[in-house]
Amino acid sequence: QINDRRLVSRKVPGHRTRLIARTDRSPAARRGFALRGSGICGLPSQMKKGDFVFNVLRVPLDFLVLVVAGVAIYILRTRVLDAWRPVLFGPELSLDRFVWLVLGVSILFVLVYALSGLYAMKLRMTVPQETARIMVASSAAMMIVILVIFIRAEAFNSRFLVIGYWVLATAM
């Protein structure tokens, strides 16, 4: 819960300047934002600079992890699991083409993560809350991908790549 008390100085006639606690009940203050006394550029005043830097770096790091997850699942399917079940989509879906697809899907995942509030500049989110949001957002993004495959009426040759990417994206 955000502490919405702020220290303000008041000049009382005939006395020294005193610091007093003021409770601001405006909606912006309850969310952690205030025009006066707030941190850097309207950030929540209780957010530390390290938390701000970490929140800003989360978006490109999540994108990078999603791309790595896609490439890892492709290599797992084509190099490791090929001995168990032969790859039939090899010539049709090369690694270069798949990387381009993964870049687009990773952008979609990051957008859905942002819409679900995972990149909100909140002070804290509990681990179960964040895990639930990641699972719901990853599932929603994957449903969009499956819907696009269905609407385009193209048979995507590897269900393993779709399901494996969803599992890795959710787990990572």
Side-chain angles (χ1 to χ4, degrees), residues 20-137:
I20 60 170
R22 168 180 65 91
T23 303
D24 190 353
R25 295 286 179 200
S26 68
R30 278 182 268 154
R31 287 190 306 268
F33 293 93
L35 295 177
R36 294 185 190 117
S38 64
I40 306 168
C41 300
L43 292 175
S45 60
Q46 295 150 341
M47 180 178 275
K48 297 176 184 165
K49 288 182 183 179
D51 290 338
F52 174 71
V53 170
F54 177 71
N55 277 335
V56 169
L57 290 177
R58 283 175 68 182
V59 176
L61 285 177
D62 280 352
F63 178 76
L64 182 67
V65 166
L66 289 167
V67 171
V68 168
V71 172
I73 204 70
Y74 183 86
I75 290 172
L76 177 69
R77 176 63 184 104
T78 58
R79 306 283 196 285
V80 177
L81 298 178
D82 184 39
W84 180 60
R85 185 170 175 144
V87 174
L88 302 175
F89 60 84
E92 298 170 11
L93 189 61
S94 65
L95 180 60
D96 294 339
R97 183 166 179 246
F98 187 73
V99 166
W100 284 106
L101 289 172
V102 165
L103 289 172
V105 170
S106 297
I107 290 171
L108 173 70
F109 266 69
V110 169
L111 289 174
V112 172
Y113 287 166
L115 290 174
S116 71
L118 285 169
Y119 301 128
M121 294 283 188
K122 290 183 179 179
L123 293 178
R124 296 281 176 237
M125 189 182 313
T126 65
V127 174
Q129 286 175 334
E130 190 170 11
T131 302
R133 283 190 185 200
I134 290 170
M135 291 177 71
V136 168

Side-chain angles (χ1 to χ4, degrees), residues 5-24:
R5 292 180 181 253
R6 309 233 192 292
L7 290 177
V8 293
S9 63
R10 292 253 168 100
K11 188 130 185 155
V12 179
H15 295 88
R16 288 189 246 166
T17 302
R18 298 172 53 191
L19 288 177
I20 60 170
R22 168 180 65 91
T23 303
D24 190 353

Side-chain angles (χ1 to χ4, degrees), residues 134-155:
I134 290 170
M135 291 177 71
V136 168
S138 295
S139 299
M142 190 49 66
M143 287 307 297
I144 293 170
V145 169
I146 292 170
L147 183 67
V148 168
I149 292 171
F150 180 77
I151 289 174
R152 291 182 66 190
E154 288 182 13

